[in-house]
Amino acid sequence: DAGVIQSPRHEVTEMGQEVTLRCKPISGHNSLFWYRQTMMRGLELLIYFNNNVPIDDSGMPEDRFSAKMPNASFSTLKIQPSEPRDSAVYFCASSQRKQGYTFGSGTRLTVV
Amino acid sequence: AQTVTQSQPEMSVQEAETVTLSCTYDTSESDYYLFWYKQPPSRQMILVIRQEAYKQQNATENRFSVNFQKAAKSFSLKISDSQLGDAAMYFCAYLYNNNDMRFGAGTRLTVKP
């Protein structure tokens, strides 16, 4: 298995632009999570899906953030419009039951 | 609310020596899972070791072992025969259900040659 695949690995964008981060979970994993990591706040859970259905999006900072999971093998996290304070590393993780989460390599987002 | 505390922001160990990273957590649940993740400079989050709370036996993975004290809500990680490649951020994590893994703030481990 190739693990959790995220793209792009790095993204630099200008303030106000739309940013889309992509994630392919491990086949057979029924839960998918989006995390944000910053020096100040550490790892924060933004949203998670069970069987492609969003369960809890209380961690999403504001309406500029949205996430979708149209099928079991693909999810996106979109920021529109982006702001400099959104700069962070965004991780996608998937899991099956309580085996622990498998993380992707993360996307380092820089908004200038 | 479940919280995870790592009281050591930074730790240092000499190569080939043993180091212990501390972690405590707060929960009212009896059945849960605990994890240690390693994050090297490549930023990949790597699962190091996993412990089920209902198991009394401490988990071990090669040079990595834990000291799980359920009553004290303590879950420390011991790294034996430290290697340069062990240098990384280490995160302790708590999982009650499958939907919300809580992470500590992390401990940065430096390995001196």
Side-chain angles (χ1 to χ4, degrees), chain A residues 44-65:
Chain A
E44 302 175 277
L45 177 65
L46 300 178
I47 185 171
Y48 72 86
F49 297 81
N50 275 352
N51 298 316
N52 312 339
V53 177
I55 303 299
D56 184 358
D57 64 354
S58 60
M60 298 285 260
E62 48 198 272
D63 291 345
R64 298 183 298 105
F65 285 69

Side-chain angles (χ1 to χ4, degrees), chain B residues 25 29-32 53-55 68-74:
Chain B
Y25 56 94
E29 306 298 336
S30 60
D31 186 17
Y32 49 87
Y54 64 86
K55 288 187 177 180
F68 174 48
Q69 302 290 327
K70 191 171 184 178
K73 297 178 184 177
S74 171

Side-chain angles (χ1 to χ4, degrees), chain B:
Chain B
Q2 295 85 5
T3 58
V4 180
T5 302
Q6 293 179 248
S7 59
Q8 307 153 316
E10 296 183 352
M11 289 285 284
S12 177
V13 63
Q14 202 71 35
E15 193 176 7
E17 296 297 310
T18 296
V19 64
T20 299
L21 309 184
S22 301
C23 173
T24 59
Y25 56 94
D26 180 30
T27 185
S28 58
E29 306 298 336
S30 60
D31 186 17
Y32 49 87
Y33 296 77
L34 296 163
F35 306 86
W36 278 98
Y37 280 87
K38 170 186 178 181
Q39 187 178 39
S42 66
R43 82 169 179 248
Q44 178 74 50
M45 291 285 285
I46 302 165
L47 178 63
V48 174
I49 201 164
R50 171 179 179 269
Q51 174 82 43
E52 294 104 330
Y54 64 86
K55 288 187 177 180
Q56 293 186 340
Q57 186 174 6
N58 289 324
T60 299
E61 288 289 341
N62 301 313
R63 297 182 295 107
F64 298 86
S65 62
V66 299
N67 183 5
F68 174 48
Q69 302 290 327
K70 191 171 184 178
K73 297 178 184 177
S74 171
F75 182 61
S76 60
L77 175 70
K78 185 172 81 171
I79 306 174
S80 303
D81 186 24
S82 297
Q83 300 175 358
L84 296 178
D86 296 334
M89 282 289 289
Y90 286 82
F91 293 94
C92 177
Y94 165 98
L95 180 65
Y96 165 57
N97 54 42
N98 199 40
N99 300 329
D100 189 3
M101 182 177 283
R102 301 295 178 98
F103 289 87
T107 296
R108 181 174 302 280
L109 177 66
T110 302
V111 181
K112 298 178 179 178

Side-chain angles (χ1 to χ4, degrees), chain A residues 33-36 41 44-49 54-68 75-80 85-86 90:
Chain A
F33 309 83
W34 283 100
Y35 279 85
R36 179 171 67 177
R41 302 173 69 91
E44 302 175 277
L45 177 65
L46 300 178
I47 185 171
Y48 72 86
F49 297 81
I55 303 299
D56 184 358
D57 64 354
S58 60
M60 298 285 260
E62 48 198 272
D63 291 345
R64 298 183 298 105
F65 285 69
S66 63
K68 294 181 179 180
S75 177
T76 60
L77 177 67
K78 184 178 294 185
I79 308 172
Q80 166 64 21
R85 60 192 169 118
D86 302 330
Y90 290 82

Side-chain angles (χ1 to χ4, degrees), chain A residues 94-110:
Chain A
S94 69
S95 75
Q96 184 176 34
R97 299 190 187 93
K98 298 178 181 179
Q99 299 303 309
Y101 298 0
T102 301
F103 285 80
S105 300
T107 295
R108 179 176 296 280
L109 174 64
T110 303

